[in-house]
Amino acid sequence: MPFANMLLEDPAVPALERQQALDRIFADPGIPQKTTTSSFWLKDPHESFATRSSKPLPVEADIVIVGSGITGASIARTLLENGINPNSSNQEVPSVIMIEARDICSGATGRNGGHILETADEYSELADEYGEEVAKKTLRFRLAHLKEMLKVCKDLGLTEHVQARKVQFLSAFFGEEPWKDALERLSRFKAGMPEEAAEWIAYDRKSMPEDFKLSRAHGVIAGPAGALWPYKFVTSLLAQLLSKYPGQFRVEDHTAVTSISETSSSAYKYRVQTNRGAISARHVIHLPGLRGRIFPLRGQMSAQTPGSNFPCQAAKHSWLFSYDRGFDYLTQLPSGQMMFGGGFARSEGGGLADLGIATDNEMSLYCDIHLSGALPAVFGRQNWGEIEGDPVQAMWTGNMAFSADGFPWVGQLPTSVTKRPRSRSIDSGSEWVSAAFGGEGMVQAWLCGKALATMLLKQDGRLSPTADDDISWLPDQMLVTEERISKSVLSRTVPSSHKASL
């Protein structure tokens, strides 16, 4: 069961608090606010995006992508690299325009942990819920991102600049029962997917290597993972696309969408109204009104100075810490900074207070307290050592999109969602979505974006003959369907049996 559902159905949490969370989930998230917490990742803006867009906004575009994170970057790259540009003779009409309400890549991607991590813990749950084949396909999809992301960085010559690296993740468990459960999940994963699980190793306290510095853990499961600087990756990629496709691609920052409507034009089906003017477009890729199906959750991250006794393990390890309730995640930069996030279960209401929060301009005090003090305790104060000055260099929040059924939403949006009648053939354009990665965007977003762009190009008949049109690797559970729209939605109210405490 997706963890949001578990929170909303937890009888130990007052029904009033759960109902308030549901009310936030079904509310309009609005336009991203200008005021934000300051992400460490964004401290040095890319030279191509250090100043605001100054040119007039194009009034027409073939495809409008709303959002400039890793998903949008993947979509744009696939469209431009694999598509046939319908406007090659008209440089005034870009084939693809990306718009962002604030600074480029200042949303979830510019605020996450940069951790390319798939623990395979979900294998058992997926197998029980959907069957072994669905579990295997879903895990293969997620696991493929490590190789894919590192390859993209290498192909673009960005590996060193974005600090992309393969590491061994150490998933540490600090309770006897959680450790037993983890061993059972690992056993099922290894039995079901022995080839993919070959690098996964379990260490109990007796067999755990001393250099892990995790002697307080009941056990550790290790496996392949990766890490990179997400902001540098996205902005460097977008800059290369702008250079390579100057007449076909535009990126516009501080351009907030206020509405999307249909037009009477035979060439451009949609009118995308922004604070800087309107853009007429054939296709629009955005996060639509799937309320109760997709919803925001606020997460918290920090950049911290390691203790004097802690060796730099940036090229060697990343970490996941699981407790009796909740978990934290950690990577280390080559410069030494510890990029530490989590503490969700330690926040107000055991995390419920962050459910449905669509802003990133405030922080949870309880998460701050937890994140600020957890690392010396986890590694042991003797292993950690002393720190001169404030150990926390930065603390910030970001919004993650979750789904009611735990899967991303990828595909063309039907009229039941857009509420705009389809008056013309789909050849005139469509609305699309690729979103709701549940806090695991680094192992889902890139290939979801690639699949969506391929779907769009195939529908338009503009996929290059040399491009690979096979997206059979995308799990069916991630596709947008009327059945899923009907079934995969949260209840608007706390069940009546749970309302006694209201």
Side-chain angles (χ1 to χ4, degrees), residues 282-422:
R282 292 185 62 249
H283 296 280
V284 184
I285 303 167
H286 64 116
L287 183 57
L290 284 164
R291 295 184 194 175
R293 298 163 180 85
I294 297 178
F295 53 89
L297 182 146
R298 182 176 62 188
Q300 198 145 315
M301 268 289 295
S302 68
Q304 303 191 28
T305 301
S308 57
N309 294 341
F310 192 82
C312 185
Q313 302 185 45
K316 190 175 182 181
H317 291 138
S318 65
W319 300 265
L320 193 71
F321 308 127
S322 297
Y323 314 109
D324 60 340
R325 185 180 176 89
F327 64 93
D328 300 327
Y329 48 93
L330 173 70
T331 63
Q332 188 172 24
L333 301 184
S335 56
Q337 289 96 339
M338 312 296 284
M339 308 305 293
F340 186 42
F344 178 79
R346 312 294 170 179
S347 66
E348 295 85 341
L352 200 65
D354 288 313
L355 198 58
I357 300 295
T359 56
D360 53 21
N361 60 342
E362 294 181 339
M363 290 186 288
S364 161
L365 172 62
Y366 294 162
C367 281
D368 192 334
I369 293 170
H370 171 79
L371 293 175
S372 296
L375 290 177
V378 164
F379 288 110
R381 286 170 177 80
Q382 183 176 359
N383 291 328
W384 192 247
E386 301 295 328
I387 297 175
E388 293 185 9
D390 188 349
V392 179
Q393 297 175 333
M395 183 85 69
W396 66 93
T397 54
N399 294 119
M400 300 170 281
F402 279 69
S403 66
D405 61 8
F407 288 100
W409 287 75
V410 184
Q412 182 183 331
L413 293 166
T415 57
S416 61
V417 171
T418 66
K419 307 302 180 185
R420 282 180 275 277
R422 184 171 293 154

Side-chain angles (χ1 to χ4, degrees), residues 156-169:
L156 298 178
L158 296 175
T159 300
E160 183 176 351
H161 177 64
V162 308
Q163 300 175 8
R165 57 207 183 273
K166 181 179 179 180
V167 296
Q168 180 187 49
F169 78 79

Side-chain angles (χ1 to χ4, degrees), residues 401-473:
F402 279 69
S403 66
D405 61 8
F407 288 100
W409 287 75
V410 184
Q412 182 183 331
L413 293 166
T415 57
S416 61
V417 171
T418 66
K419 307 302 180 185
R420 282 180 275 277
R422 184 171 293 154
S423 57
R424 280 162 276 146
S425 164
I426 60 173
D427 293 338
S428 62
S430 302
E431 293 177 70
W432 306 79
V433 65
S434 180
F437 307 114
E440 298 179 326
M442 296 301 289
V443 290
Q444 299 197 94
W446 183 264
L447 288 178
C448 281
K450 185 176 182 178
L452 180 90
T454 303
M455 292 179 200
L456 189 156
L457 291 171
K458 288 178 71 173
Q459 176 178 295
D460 268 7
R462 292 196 286 118
L463 189 69
S464 170
T466 60
D468 184 2
D469 66 349
D470 179 21
I471 57 170
S472 60
W473 37 261

Side-chain angles (χ1 to χ4, degrees), residues 7 30 119 174 216 247 280 353 460:
L7 275 176
T119 65
F174 295 90
R216 306 186 75 176
S280 296
D460 268 7

Side-chain angles (χ1 to χ4, degrees), residues 23-338:
D23 292 343
R24 292 193 298 269
I25 284 171
F26 279 92
D28 184 354
I31 297 171
Q33 296 186 3
K34 293 182 180 179
T35 56
T36 69
T37 51
S38 298
S39 167
F40 176 90
W41 299 120
L42 278 66
K43 65 185 182 71
D44 296 317
H46 191 284
E47 59 182 7
S48 297
F49 310 108
T51 57
R52 292 192 182 187
S53 302
S54 58
K55 294 181 179 180
L57 191 70
V59 297
E60 295 175 344
D62 188 51
I63 302 165
V64 171
I65 302 171
V66 181
S68 62
I70 193 168
T71 309
S74 174
I75 292 170
R77 181 173 187 253
T78 305
L79 290 172
L80 293 165
E81 296 283 337
N82 294 350
I84 301 171
N85 178 23
N87 301 313
S88 57
S89 61
N90 184 1
Q91 299 301 298
E92 297 300 317
V93 181
S95 178
V96 180
I97 179 170
M98 175 181 288
I99 57 178
E100 171 61 55
R102 303 186 301 199
D103 291 332
I104 297 303
C105 196
S106 62
T109 300
R111 295 171 178 276
N112 70 19
H115 203 181
I116 310 171
L117 172 67
E118 174 52 59
T119 65
D121 281 348
E122 296 90 347
Y123 177 83
S124 298
E125 184 177 343
L126 288 167
D128 291 342
E129 180 76 14
Y130 300 98
E132 294 285 342
E133 291 309 309
V134 170
K136 291 177 182 179
K137 187 171 183 177
T138 302
L139 264 293
R140 289 191 183 107
F141 170 80
R142 295 179 182 176
L143 291 168
H145 279 75
L146 176 58
K147 182 178 180 180
E148 178 79 6
M149 297 294 290
L150 295 179
K151 182 179 184 301
V152 170
C153 290
K154 181 179 180 181
D155 290 347
L156 298 178
L158 296 175
T159 300
E160 183 176 351
H161 177 64
V162 308
Q163 300 175 8
R165 57 207 183 273
K166 181 179 179 180
V167 296
Q168 180 187 49
F169 78 79
L170 304 178
S171 185
F173 296 84
F174 295 90
E176 186 174 350
E177 287 305 314
W179 173 236
K180 288 181 179 178
D181 292 342
L183 287 175
E184 182 179 346
R185 291 193 299 269
L186 178 63
S187 177
R188 288 192 62 180
F189 174 52
K190 280 186 166 290
M193 304 180 70
E195 182 178 347
E196 291 82 358
E199 293 184 62
W200 267 254
I201 307 170
Y203 300 93
D204 59 21
R205 276 180 168 170
K206 294 180 180 179
S207 62
M208 196 183 306
E210 184 179 346
D211 66 354
F212 282 8
K213 307 297 183 184
L214 290 167
S215 59
R216 306 186 75 176
H218 277 73
V220 170
I221 291 176
L228 52 74
W229 194 301
Y231 173 82
K232 288 184 178 180
F233 171 74
V234 169
T235 53
S236 298
L237 170 57
L238 294 179
Q240 287 196 17
L241 292 177
L242 286 169
S243 176
K244 188 175 181 180
Y245 302 97
Q248 300 177 43
F249 186 45
R250 288 279 296 272
V251 177
E252 301 287 337
D253 59 8
H254 294 271
T255 307
V257 176
T258 56
S259 67
I260 298 174
S261 58
E262 281 201 338
T263 72
S264 58
S265 169
S266 59
Y268 299 103
K269 185 175 181 179
Y270 300 103
R271 176 186 175 90
V272 181
Q273 185 65 51
T274 80
N275 61 310
R276 295 178 57 210
I279 306 172
S280 296
R282 292 185 62 249
H283 296 280
V284 184
I285 303 167
H286 64 116
L287 183 57
L290 284 164
R291 295 184 194 175
R293 298 163 180 85
I294 297 178
F295 53 89
L297 182 146
R298 182 176 62 188
Q300 198 145 315
M301 268 289 295
S302 68
Q304 303 191 28
T305 301
S308 57
N309 294 341
F310 192 82
C312 185
Q313 302 185 45
K316 190 175 182 181
H317 291 138
S318 65
W319 300 265
L320 193 71
F321 308 127
S322 297
Y323 314 109
D324 60 340
R325 185 180 176 89
F327 64 93
D328 300 327
Y329 48 93
L330 173 70
T331 63
Q332 188 172 24
L333 301 184
S335 56
Q337 289 96 339
M338 312 296 284

